[in-house]
């Protein structure tokens, strides 16, 4: 109801206060002048009061206008209805909602505005509202407009009973047609949601918000179990990360994706599923929801697999047949050409199988082939292919990825071949008979030069016949160079085993200087004094040591030697202040006994652990990073320092780098070598220095050979230098003389 604002009642003329009557004794003319002056003053006071009243009335009028305007133009309708049902007051919004002028609405019965279908509900509502007092009540009614159209309204009403006045019903009126349409659409969507296809709706982050009954039937997860969890709870791990990267890239580009995936039910069963994912965007381009529909295609897949089994697998052994093997080999050749990494193909023939087959019968021969097939599968890795191409001939394909260094592919292929030979020699028990069998294996590598599937099969077959000619029960490589490489690596392994046991290893030390020209440390470098081949550097034997497991005794020797040298330097005024770094293999860090071994070496030689620095390569980030960090922190707590070698050439992740408790970062020599001629290399060096300094590390540059290199590195902020300019690897005595010579850095050759 509009409230009438009443201005304060101020009389236009204020009565003059009574004063005591005094008989004036002044002359009459003076008395008239005095009265005239008093009247003028009084007139001025009245005018000032009238002006103040006018301003006050204007302010009250403006305030009332603002209030009335806000009330009339409110976003909801306001109505006041008497307990008898008459509209006694309404704002303009309420009148417009009902399609009437306010003058026609006020004074009419509110029930006339209610659609007949809801008229009884209105009367019950009004009666209840009148009886129950001041608590608000809500109802939804179908209302009629003056033009005959209707709309759904939501009414919130309260009974108001001011003291001494009749109670009224105060109500708000809102058009909820849009809400009703939305509800209808949701009901329709709910019907569509309940289909035979599983449906899963997630938010933009992949968190499940809703699933239907078919989803529960297919996956085994109830709505309560699924909602709130991520959509990947059903992943089977049969698709790798690359698969999902491609899938989501397609969704981002096209807005949808569909395809076949293998998912896992709640029971653990893995099953094939046809999955379609659609992106739902809001007002902008950013997705707000993802809708996934899924169908269990287990039965269809089973029929497809049955057909594929007949077409691509050997019915006796269930191994891939020649057709499938050739298809996989063709794919491997393409992958090898793309990655420039080597793979291998083995041609395996069972020795004297024909004699056993002819003597004992084909049934026993078939069972022998089945047993041999099982042994072959047990000898290879996941991802390798074992195929039976006919009779007693088998093929094993080792896909590309058999190592990065020359000769590694041949070593791994030979190791698997030896394992197969050993497995085939084991006796076969069959119906009380004990049978002996062996195999001849031919191996060919692929990846270094273009070739075809047929060429590879021929080469492996020829190598197999070379193995037969060498007396059977052996293997041969088609590539003579690979055979020589394997033989050489085997020789190095045998010699290294003897060399470690007989004390043929020795240690050299390469100094590290700071920008002031002071020696601050050294790197301990293992050398092998081979009896026949002379002094061998680490590149010539460390790879073999890691492949053969000799890296563990070799690494233990290096650690003991470094601690022993620190003990000898302990009382030297100059050398006792040096830090000594010793290289540690990533494989050593994986050893559960690594930390105890380091601490035992430090304590056994009685050295200050803060003088020992373990130098790691970025390959440590390829393994269990959390375990590596835990071991590093434990050693760090005892004072042992850590340096990251060859930074920038491997697998460093900034997310992991900031977690590693490193003291020192070493710039790889490859960047230093060309930084004077290649701005990109100089930029990389500057970035590494800034990164290291920001992480609180000392940055040392390797491979510093010239004065200009040192000057640029100093300008870029490098804090330590190591390389030919400062000294090549040398014996402990030579390092001692250099450290105590007080020769300034500038005295070293500049180029």
């Amino acid at each position: 109801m509009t409230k009438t604002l009443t201005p304060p009642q101020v009389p236009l003329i204020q009565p003059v206060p009574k004063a005591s009557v005094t008989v004036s004794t002044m002359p009459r003319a003076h008395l008239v002048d005095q009265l005239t002056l008093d009247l003028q003053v009084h007139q001025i006071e009245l005018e000032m009061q009238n002006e103040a009243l006018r301003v006050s009335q204007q302010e009250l009028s403006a305030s009332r206008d603002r209030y009335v305007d806000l009330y009339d133009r409110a976003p909801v309708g306001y109505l006041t209805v008497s307990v008898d049902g008459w509209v006694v007051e309404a704002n303009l919004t309420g009148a417009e909602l009902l399609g009437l002028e306010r003058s026609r609405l006020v004074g009419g019965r509110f029930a006339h505005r209610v659609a007949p279908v809801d008229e009884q509900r209105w009367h019950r509502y009004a009666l209840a509202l009148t009886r129950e007092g001041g608590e608000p009540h809500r109802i939804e009614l179908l209302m009629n407009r003056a033009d005959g159209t209707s709309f759904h309204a939501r009414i919130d009403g309260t009974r108001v009973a001011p003291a001494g006045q009749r109670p009224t019903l105060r109500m708000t009126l809102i058009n909820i047609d849009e809400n009703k349409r939305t509800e209808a659409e949701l009901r329709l969507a709910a019907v569509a949601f309940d289909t035979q296809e599983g449906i899963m709706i997630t938010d933009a982050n992949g968190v499940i918000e809703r699933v239907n009954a078919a989803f529960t039937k297919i996956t085994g997860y109830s709505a309560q179990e699924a909602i709130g969890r991520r959509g990947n709870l059903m992943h089977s791990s049969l698709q790798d990360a690359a698969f999902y990267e491609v899938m989501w890239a397609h969704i981002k580009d096209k807005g949808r994706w569909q395809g076949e995936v293998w998912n896992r039910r709640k029971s653990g069963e893995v099953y094939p599923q046809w999955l379609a994912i659609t992106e739902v965007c809001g007002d902008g381009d950013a997705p707000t929801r993802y809708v996934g529909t899924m169908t269990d295609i287990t039965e269809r897949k089973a029929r497809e697999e049955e057909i594929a089994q007949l077409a691509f697998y050997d019915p006796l052994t269930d191994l891939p047949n020649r057709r499938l093997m050739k298809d996989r080999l063709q794919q491997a050749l393409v992958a090898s050409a793309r990655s420039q990494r080597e793979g291998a193909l083995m041609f395996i023939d069972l020795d004297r199988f024909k004699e056993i087959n002819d003597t004992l019968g084909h049934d026993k021969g078939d069972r022998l082939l089945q047993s041999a097939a099982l042994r072959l599968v047990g000898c290879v890795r996941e991802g390798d292919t074992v195929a039976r191409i006919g009779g007693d001939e088998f093929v094993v394909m080792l896909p590309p990825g058999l190592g990065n260094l020359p000769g590694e592919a041949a070593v791994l292929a030979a190791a698997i071949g030896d394992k197969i030979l050993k497995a085939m020699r084991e006796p076969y028990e069959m119906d009380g008979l004990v049978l002996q069998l062996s195999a001849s294996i031919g191996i060919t590598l692929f990846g270094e030069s273009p070739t075809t599937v047929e060429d590879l099969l021929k080469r492996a077959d020829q190598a197999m016949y070379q193995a037969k000619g060498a007396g059977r029960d052996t293997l041969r490589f088609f590539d003579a160079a690979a055979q020589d490489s394997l033989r050489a690596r085997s020789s190095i392994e045998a010699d290294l085993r003897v060399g470690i046991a007989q004390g043929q290893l020795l240690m050299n030390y390469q100094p590290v200087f700071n920008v002031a020209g002071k020696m601050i440390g050294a790197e301990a470098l293992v050398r092998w004094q081979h009896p026949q081949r002379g002094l061998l550097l680490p590149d010539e034997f460390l790879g073999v040591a890691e492949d053969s497991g000799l890296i563990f005794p070799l690494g233990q020797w290096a650690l003991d030697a470094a601690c022993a040298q620190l003990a000898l330097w302990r009382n030297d005024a100059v050398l006792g202040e040096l830090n000594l770094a010793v290289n540690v293999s990533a494989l050593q860090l994986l050893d559960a006994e690594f930390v105890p071994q380091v601490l035992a070496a430090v304590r056994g030689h009685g050295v200050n652990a803060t003088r020992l620095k373990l130098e790691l390569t970025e390959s440590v980030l390829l393994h269990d990073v959390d375990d590596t960090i835990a071991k590093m922190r434990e050693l760090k707590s005892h004072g042992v320092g850590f340096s990251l070698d060859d930074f920038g050439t491997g697998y460093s992740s900034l997310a992991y780098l900031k977690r590693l408790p490193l003291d020192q970062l070493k710039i790889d020599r490859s960047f230093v070598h060309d930084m004077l001629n290649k701005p990109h290399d100089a930029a990389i060096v500057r970035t590494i220095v800034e990164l290291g300094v920001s992480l609180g590390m000392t940055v040392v540059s390797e491979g510093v050979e010239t004065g200009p290199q040192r000057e640029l590195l100093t300008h870029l902020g490098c804090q330590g230098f190591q390389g030919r300019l400062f000294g090549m690897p040398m014996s402990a005595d030579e390092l001692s003389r250099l450290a105590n010579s007080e020769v300034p850095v500038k005295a070293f050759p500049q180029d």
Side-chain angles (χ1 to χ4, degrees):
M1 177 183 293
T2 304
K3 184 175 180 180
T4 302
L5 300 177
T6 305
Q9 301 299 314
V10 180
L12 295 177
I13 301 176
Q14 296 287 345
V16 178
K18 293 181 179 180
S20 57
V21 178
T22 303
V23 178
S24 176
T25 58
M26 67 177 60
R28 181 179 182 88
H30 290 287
L31 180 60
V32 171
D33 291 341
Q34 182 64 43
L35 289 175
T36 301
L37 179 61
D38 290 343
L39 183 60
Q40 290 174 346
V41 170
H42 186 64
Q43 184 66 35
I44 291 171
E45 290 175 349
L46 286 177
E47 289 176 357
M48 291 176 64
Q49 290 176 358
N50 288 337
E51 178 63 21
L53 177 61
R54 186 182 62 80
V55 172
S56 176
Q57 287 175 333
Q58 287 178 346
E59 291 176 350
L60 286 172
S61 177
S63 174
R64 181 183 60 194
D65 290 345
R66 286 195 299 271
Y67 171 80
V68 170
D69 188 62
L70 289 173
Y71 172 76
D72 276 340
R73 295 302 177 184
V76 300
Y78 289 115
L79 295 96
T80 302
V81 179
S82 70
V83 293
D84 298 329
W86 299 92
V87 179
V88 297
E89 192 272 336
N91 69 348
L92 289 178
T93 303
E96 290 171 357
L97 285 172
L98 294 170
L100 286 169
E101 295 180 1
R102 179 159 51 184
S103 60
R104 292 182 57 195
L105 176 62
V106 174
R109 296 190 66 84
F110 184 78
H112 292 169
R113 309 274 68 85
V114 180
V117 67
D118 278 344
E119 193 170 348
Q120 291 301 318
R121 293 181 62 240
W122 155 250
H123 287 304
R124 288 194 297 272
Y125 169 78
L127 182 60
L129 194 63
T130 302
R131 290 175 176 174
E132 295 180 18
E135 293 297 322
H137 290 260
R138 175 172 291 180
I139 190 172
E140 292 182 4
L141 298 173
L142 184 64
M143 307 297 295
N144 285 336
R145 298 187 182 93
D147 61 3
T149 61
S150 301
F151 69 96
H152 291 89
R154 188 182 76 204
I155 296 174
D156 291 283
T158 305
R159 188 180 70 130
V160 179
Q165 300 181 27
R166 294 189 64 191
T168 56
L169 308 181
R170 298 278 179 85
M171 301 188 303
T172 61
L173 183 71
I174 300 175
N175 186 332
I176 59 170
D177 275 346
E178 187 63 31
N179 293 2
K180 289 292 185 181
R181 281 192 291 271
T182 301
E183 290 174 2
E185 291 174 359
L186 289 175
R187 285 193 294 272
L188 181 62
V191 173
F193 197 66
D194 190 17
T195 68
Q196 296 302 310
E197 288 184 328
I199 299 178
M200 174 180 69
I201 300 176
T202 76
D203 64 13
N205 298 316
V207 177
I208 299 174
E209 294 182 333
R210 190 177 178 191
V211 298
N212 67 351
F215 170 92
T216 298
K217 183 178 179 181
I218 293 172
T219 67
Y221 289 98
S222 66
Q224 292 79 6
E225 292 170 324
I227 292 173
R229 300 175 66 180
R230 294 188 63 81
N232 60 8
L233 83 161
M234 298 169 291
H235 284 186
S236 65
S237 300
L238 295 185
Q239 290 89 209
D240 58 14
F243 171 87
Y244 290 105
E245 287 176 5
V246 171
M247 181 185 80
W248 284 107
H250 191 278
I251 293 172
K252 183 177 181 181
D253 182 41
K254 304 295 184 181
R256 63 183 63 85
W257 177 89
Q258 62 178 351
E260 183 180 303
V261 297
W262 286 86
N263 274 339
R264 190 182 303 276
R265 305 187 208 273
K266 180 183 175 183
S267 63
E269 176 192 358
V270 176
Y271 69 102
Q273 180 187 97
W274 186 261
L275 176 64
I277 299 177
T278 302
E279 183 181 78
V280 180
C281 295
D283 295 335
D285 294 332
T288 59
R289 299 284 189 281
Y290 293 99
V291 178
T293 59
M294 58 195 70
T295 305
D296 187 341
I297 57 172
T298 301
E299 293 184 4
R300 189 187 82 185
K301 198 70 177 176
R303 291 192 297 270
E304 293 175 355
E305 289 179 354
E306 184 178 354
I307 295 172
Q309 186 73 24
L310 295 173
F312 297 108
Y313 289 86
D314 172 48
L316 178 64
T317 62
D318 286 333
L319 294 176
N321 60 16
R322 179 185 288 268
R323 177 186 296 177
L324 181 56
M325 183 277 302
K326 291 175 70 174
D327 179 69
R328 291 184 180 178
L329 185 54
Q330 180 61 47
Q331 295 179 37
L333 285 174
V334 173
S336 177
R338 183 171 57 247
S339 66
Q340 295 297 304
R341 303 184 72 181
E342 288 190 316
L345 185 68
M346 300 181 180
F347 202 107
I348 303 168
D349 184 84
L350 303 182
D351 297 329
R352 299 188 178 91
F353 171 77
K354 186 175 183 304
E355 299 173 10
I356 297 175
N357 194 46
D358 292 343
T359 302
L360 300 179
H362 294 287
D363 59 332
K364 288 185 174 57
D366 288 347
R367 289 166 60 188
L368 190 60
L369 288 172
Q370 290 171 335
S371 297
L374 290 174
R375 295 187 183 187
L376 279 173
V377 173
C379 292
V380 300
R381 310 161 305 168
E382 185 178 358
D384 297 339
T385 295
V386 180
R388 180 182 177 224
I389 61 175
D392 62 339
E393 294 178 335
F394 297 85
V395 168
V396 173
M397 184 194 72
L398 309 179
L402 300 179
N404 298 314
L405 299 177
E408 281 189 286
V411 171
L412 182 54
I416 295 176
D418 287 335
K419 189 176 181 180
I420 291 172
L421 292 176
K422 182 179 179 181
M424 292 301 169
R425 294 188 198 111
E426 295 292 326
Y428 295 80
E429 295 185 7
M430 194 175 300
D431 298 334
L433 297 175
V434 178
L435 304 176
Q436 293 293 139
L437 198 64
S438 63
S440 296
I441 303 176
I443 305 176
T444 184
L445 301 177
F446 60 89
E448 294 184 350
S449 58
T451 187
T452 64
V453 170
E454 294 301 330
D455 286 340
L456 282 177
L457 287 171
K458 288 178 182 178
R459 293 176 186 177
D461 191 28
Q462 292 173 14
M464 184 271 293
Y465 278 107
Q466 293 176 14
K468 290 276 189 186
R472 296 185 176 89
D473 191 22
T474 188
L475 63 84
R476 287 292 183 271
F477 279 85
F478 173 79
D479 188 351
Q483 186 75 24
D484 292 342
S485 175
L486 175 63
R487 191 176 295 114
R489 288 176 69 91
S490 298
S491 176
I492 290 176
E493 178 184 340
D495 290 350
L496 182 58
R497 198 177 301 275
V498 173
I500 294 173
Q502 294 184 355
Q504 297 174 4
L505 300 178
L506 56 89
M507 195 72 84
N508 278 175
Y509 304 89
Q510 187 170 27
V512 178
F513 284 79
N514 64 12
V515 292
K518 178 183 177 182
M519 187 187 298
I520 57 175
E523 180 180 355
L525 300 168
V526 178
R527 302 291 187 259
W528 178 14
Q529 189 65 53
H530 194 281
Q532 287 80 39
R533 302 176 60 186
L535 190 67
L536 299 182
L537 300 180
D539 288 346
E540 300 178 79
F541 59 86
L542 279 184
V544 174
E546 290 191 337
D547 291 339
S548 63
L550 291 175
I551 191 65
F552 297 105
L554 190 153
Q556 184 63 55
W557 177 89
L559 188 62
D560 283 330
C563 289
Q565 192 60 58
L566 282 173
L568 292 175
W569 291 344
R570 183 167 45 208
N571 297 321
D572 188 287
V574 177
L575 297 175
E577 296 298 318
L578 299 183
N579 291 321
L580 185 58
V582 59
N583 290 279
V584 174
S585 166
L587 293 176
Q588 290 176 263
L589 273 174
L590 295 175
D591 188 0
E593 298 300 316
F594 177 70
V595 172
Q597 288 172 356
V598 174
L599 296 178
V602 170
R603 292 165 182 163
H605 292 280
V607 299
N608 184 351
T610 61
R611 295 300 172 195
L612 178 65
K613 192 183 301 308
L614 301 183
E615 198 158 296
L616 313 174
T617 63
E618 296 179 63
S619 59
V620 298
L621 299 176
L622 290 175
H623 303 289
D624 189 341
V625 178
D626 291 332
D627 179 66
T628 297
I629 292 173
K631 289 175 179 175
M632 291 175 66
R633 285 178 176 167
E634 184 175 355
L635 289 172
K636 186 84 171 176
S637 68
H638 290 276
V640 178
F642 287 92
S643 174
L644 189 62
D645 197 14
D646 301 334
F647 182 75
T649 62
Y651 314 91
S652 286
S653 163
L654 294 181
Y656 287 135
L657 186 62
K658 67 180 183 180
R659 295 175 56 197
L660 295 175
L662 295 169
D663 303 281
Q664 188 181 86
L665 208 59
K666 299 186 80 171
I667 304 172
D668 185 68
R669 66 184 66 247
S670 61
F671 300 124
V672 176
H673 184 268
D674 293 324
M675 69 177 183
L676 295 175
N677 303 317
K678 296 182 178 179
H680 290 301
D681 284 1
I684 291 173
V685 171
R686 179 187 296 107
T687 301
I688 294 174
V689 172
E690 292 174 352
L691 175 63
V693 171
S694 67
L695 293 176
M697 304 178 199
T698 301
V699 182
V700 174
S701 179
E702 295 182 308
V704 183
E705 299 183 353
T706 68
Q709 287 177 341
R710 183 197 64 201
E711 292 172 5
L712 178 56
L713 287 166
T714 302
H715 175 71
L716 294 177
C718 192
Q719 300 148 306
F721 309 93
Q722 180 180 347
R724 188 168 65 89
L725 180 64
F726 300 90
M728 297 297 289
M730 61 191 71
S731 68
D733 290 340
E734 291 172 322
L735 186 77
S736 176
R737 287 194 293 271
L738 178 62
N740 288 280
S741 66
E742 298 183 358
V743 178
V745 174
K746 63 182 180 181
F748 288 112
Q750 300 298 300
D751 48 42

